[in-house]
PDB file of all heavy atoms in Angstrom:
ATOM      1  N   GLY A 109      82.336 106.214  77.460  1.00  0.00           N
ATOM      2  CA  GLY A 109      82.010 105.029  76.663  1.00  0.00           C
ATOM      3  C   GLY A 109      82.841 103.807  76.974  1.00  0.00           C
ATOM      4  O   GLY A 109      82.466 102.694  76.607  1.00  0.00           O
ATOM      5  N   HIS A 110      83.971 103.967  77.661  1.00  0.00           N
ATOM      6  CA  HIS A 110      84.805 102.819  78.010  1.00  0.00           C
ATOM      7  C   HIS A 110      84.228 102.137  79.259  1.00  0.00           C
ATOM      8  O   HIS A 110      84.024 102.798  80.286  1.00  0.00           O
ATOM      9  CB  HIS A 110      86.249 103.251  78.293  1.00  0.00           C
ATOM     10  CG  HIS A 110      87.011 103.634  77.066  1.00  0.00           C
ATOM     11  ND1 HIS A 110      87.942 102.809  76.478  1.00  0.00           N
ATOM     12  CD2 HIS A 110      86.967 104.768  76.304  1.00  0.00           C
ATOM     13  CE1 HIS A 110      88.449 103.415  75.407  1.00  0.00           C
ATOM     14  NE2 HIS A 110      87.875 104.601  75.294  1.00  0.00           N
ATOM     15  N   PRO A 111      83.974 100.837  79.200  1.00  0.00           N
ATOM     16  CA  PRO A 111      83.513 100.143  80.410  1.00  0.00           C
ATOM     17  C   PRO A 111      84.586 100.195  81.498  1.00  0.00           C
ATOM     18  O   PRO A 111      85.783 100.127  81.208  1.00  0.00           O
ATOM     19  CB  PRO A 111      83.297  98.693  79.933  1.00  0.00           C
ATOM     20  CG  PRO A 111      83.233  98.776  78.446  1.00  0.00           C
ATOM     21  CD  PRO A 111      84.078  99.938  78.046  1.00  0.00           C
ATOM     22  N   ILE A 112      84.149 100.333  82.736  1.00  0.00           N
ATOM     23  CA  ILE A 112      85.070 100.392  83.872  1.00  0.00           C
ATOM     24  C   ILE A 112      84.746  99.263  84.836  1.00  0.00           C
ATOM     25  O   ILE A 112      83.618  99.141  85.309  1.00  0.00           O
ATOM     26  CB  ILE A 112      84.973 101.746  84.597  1.00  0.00           C
ATOM     27  CG1 ILE A 112      85.360 102.887  83.644  1.00  0.00           C
ATOM     28  CG2 ILE A 112      85.878 101.764  85.839  1.00  0.00           C
ATOM     29  CD1 ILE A 112      85.178 104.273  84.252  1.00  0.00           C
ATOM     30  N   ASP A 113      85.742  98.426  85.101  1.00  0.00           N
ATOM     31  CA  ASP A 113      85.620  97.343  86.072  1.00  0.00           C
ATOM     32  C   ASP A 113      86.543  97.633  87.252  1.00  0.00           C
ATOM     33  O   ASP A 113      87.527  98.372  87.116  1.00  0.00           O
ATOM     34  CB  ASP A 113      85.991  95.999  85.447  1.00  0.00           C
ATOM     35  CG  ASP A 113      85.061  95.604  84.299  1.00  0.00           C
ATOM     36  OD1 ASP A 113      83.960  96.180  84.216  1.00  0.00           O
ATOM     37  OD2 ASP A 113      85.446  94.744  83.492  1.00  0.00           O
ATOM     38  N   VAL A 114      86.230  97.032  88.392  1.00  0.00           N
ATOM     39  CA  VAL A 114      87.030  97.275  89.596  1.00  0.00           C
ATOM     40  C   VAL A 114      87.468  95.952  90.220  1.00  0.00           C
ATOM     41  O   VAL A 114      86.858  94.906  89.989  1.00  0.00           O
ATOM     42  CB  VAL A 114      86.242  98.109  90.643  1.00  0.00           C
ATOM     43  CG1 VAL A 114      85.830  99.445  90.071  1.00  0.00           C
ATOM     44  CG2 VAL A 114      85.019  97.340  91.161  1.00  0.00           C
ATOM     45  N   ILE A 115      88.539  96.029  90.995  1.00  0.00           N
ATOM     46  CA  ILE A 115      88.978  94.922  91.855  1.00  0.00           C
ATOM     47  C   ILE A 115      88.920  95.429  93.293  1.00  0.00           C
ATOM     48  O   ILE A 115      89.427  96.508  93.604  1.00  0.00           O
ATOM     49  CB  ILE A 115      90.415  94.471  91.545  1.00  0.00           C
ATOM     50  CG1 ILE A 115      90.545  94.015  90.093  1.00  0.00           C
ATOM     51  CG2 ILE A 115      90.843  93.335  92.493  1.00  0.00           C
ATOM     52  CD1 ILE A 115      91.981  93.649  89.699  1.00  0.00           C
ATOM     53  N   THR A 116      88.295  94.650  94.168  1.00  0.00           N
ATOM     54  CA  THR A 116      88.264  95.012  95.577  1.00  0.00           C
ATOM     55  C   THR A 116      88.047  93.743  96.404  1.00  0.00           C
ATOM     56  O   THR A 116      88.104  92.634  95.887  1.00  0.00           O
ATOM     57  CB  THR A 116      87.196  96.082  95.860  1.00  0.00           C
ATOM     58  OG1 THR A 116      87.324  96.544  97.205  1.00  0.00           O
ATOM     59  CG2 THR A 116      85.794  95.541  95.640  1.00  0.00           C
ATOM     60  N   SER A 117      87.763  93.930  97.683  1.00  0.00           N
ATOM     61  CA  SER A 117      87.611  92.792  98.601  1.00  0.00           C
ATOM     62  C   SER A 117      86.226  92.183  98.504  1.00  0.00           C
ATOM     63  O   SER A 117      85.278  92.818  98.013  1.00  0.00           O
ATOM     64  CB  SER A 117      87.847  93.278 100.038  1.00  0.00           C
ATOM     65  OG  SER A 117      86.813  94.178 100.412  1.00  0.00           O
ATOM     66  N   PRO A 118      86.050  90.935  98.979  1.00  0.00           N
ATOM     67  CA  PRO A 118      84.710  90.328  98.991  1.00  0.00           C
ATOM     68  C   PRO A 118      83.706  91.145  99.786  1.00  0.00           C
ATOM     69  O   PRO A 118      82.526  91.181  99.439  1.00  0.00           O
ATOM     70  CB  PRO A 118      84.948  88.958  99.645  1.00  0.00           C
ATOM     71  CG  PRO A 118      86.394  88.671  99.439  1.00  0.00           C
ATOM     72  CD  PRO A 118      87.085  89.992  99.469  1.00  0.00           C
ATOM     73  N   LEU A 119      84.157  91.816 100.850  1.00  0.00           N
ATOM     74  CA  LEU A 119      83.248  92.598 101.678  1.00  0.00           C
ATOM     75  C   LEU A 119      82.724  93.821 100.936  1.00  0.00           C
ATOM     76  O   LEU A 119      81.534  94.149 101.011  1.00  0.00           O
ATOM     77  CB  LEU A 119      83.972  93.041 102.959  1.00  0.00           C
ATOM     78  CG  LEU A 119      83.144  93.850 103.966  1.00  0.00           C
ATOM     79  CD1 LEU A 119      81.971  93.028 104.487  1.00  0.00           C
ATOM     80  CD2 LEU A 119      84.030  94.317 105.124  1.00  0.00           C
ATOM     81  N   ALA A 120      83.593  94.508 100.209  1.00  0.00           N
ATOM     82  CA  ALA A 120      83.205  95.751  99.542  1.00  0.00           C
ATOM     83  C   ALA A 120      82.605  95.530  98.159  1.00  0.00           C
ATOM     84  O   ALA A 120      81.849  96.386  97.678  1.00  0.00           O
ATOM     85  CB  ALA A 120      84.423  96.673  99.429  1.00  0.00           C
ATOM     86  N   ALA A 121      82.915  94.419  97.501  1.00  0.00           N
ATOM     87  CA  ALA A 121      82.524  94.221  96.102  1.00  0.00           C
ATOM     88  C   ALA A 121      81.028  94.381  95.826  1.00  0.00           C
ATOM     89  O   ALA A 121      80.652  94.928  94.780  1.00  0.00           O
ATOM     90  CB  ALA A 121      82.998  92.844  95.630  1.00  0.00           C
ATOM     91  N   PRO A 122      80.122  93.933  96.722  1.00  0.00           N
ATOM     92  CA  PRO A 122      78.692  94.100  96.408  1.00  0.00           C
ATOM     93  C   PRO A 122      78.270  95.555  96.226  1.00  0.00           C
ATOM     94  O   PRO A 122      77.253  95.825  95.577  1.00  0.00           O
ATOM     95  CB  PRO A 122      77.992  93.467  97.627  1.00  0.00           C
ATOM     96  CG  PRO A 122      78.971  92.475  98.155  1.00  0.00           C
ATOM     97  CD  PRO A 122      80.312  93.115  97.937  1.00  0.00           C
ATOM     98  N   LEU A 123      79.019  96.499  96.789  1.00  0.00           N
ATOM     99  CA  LEU A 123      78.666  97.905  96.644  1.00  0.00           C
ATOM    100  C   LEU A 123      78.894  98.401  95.222  1.00  0.00           C
ATOM    101  O   LEU A 123      78.337  99.434  94.826  1.00  0.00           O
ATOM    102  CB  LEU A 123      79.482  98.756  97.616  1.00  0.00           C
ATOM    103  CG  LEU A 123      79.247  98.517  99.109  1.00  0.00           C
ATOM    104  CD1 LEU A 123      80.169  99.413  99.937  1.00  0.00           C
ATOM    105  CD2 LEU A 123      77.793  98.763  99.483  1.00  0.00           C
ATOM    106  N   ALA A 124      79.709  97.690  94.455  1.00  0.00           N
ATOM    107  CA  ALA A 124      80.071  98.162  93.112  1.00  0.00           C
ATOM    108  C   ALA A 124      78.833  98.300  92.223  1.00  0.00           C
ATOM    109  O   ALA A 124      78.764  99.210  91.390  1.00  0.00           O
ATOM    110  CB  ALA A 124      81.084  97.219  92.475  1.00  0.00           C
ATOM    111  N   ARG A 125      77.856  97.428  92.407  1.00  0.00           N
ATOM    112  CA  ARG A 125      76.679  97.501  91.524  1.00  0.00           C
ATOM    113  C   ARG A 125      75.802  98.719  91.825  1.00  0.00           C
ATOM    114  O   ARG A 125      74.912  99.051  91.042  1.00  0.00           O
ATOM    115  CB  ARG A 125      75.860  96.223  91.616  1.00  0.00           C
ATOM    116  CG  ARG A 125      75.099  96.016  92.907  1.00  0.00           C
ATOM    117  CD  ARG A 125      74.208  94.787  92.811  1.00  0.00           C
ATOM    118  NE  ARG A 125      73.445  94.546  94.009  1.00  0.00           N
ATOM    119  CZ  ARG A 125      72.290  95.140  94.289  1.00  0.00           C
ATOM    120  NH1 ARG A 125      71.787  96.017  93.433  1.00  0.00           N
ATOM    121  NH2 ARG A 125      71.649  94.863  95.402  1.00  0.00           N
TER     122      ARG A 125
END
Side-chain angles (χ1 to χ4, degrees):
H110 287 257
I112 299 175
D113 297 342
V114 301
I115 301 176
T116 188
S117 66
L119 182 62
L123 296 178
R125 71 174 181 84

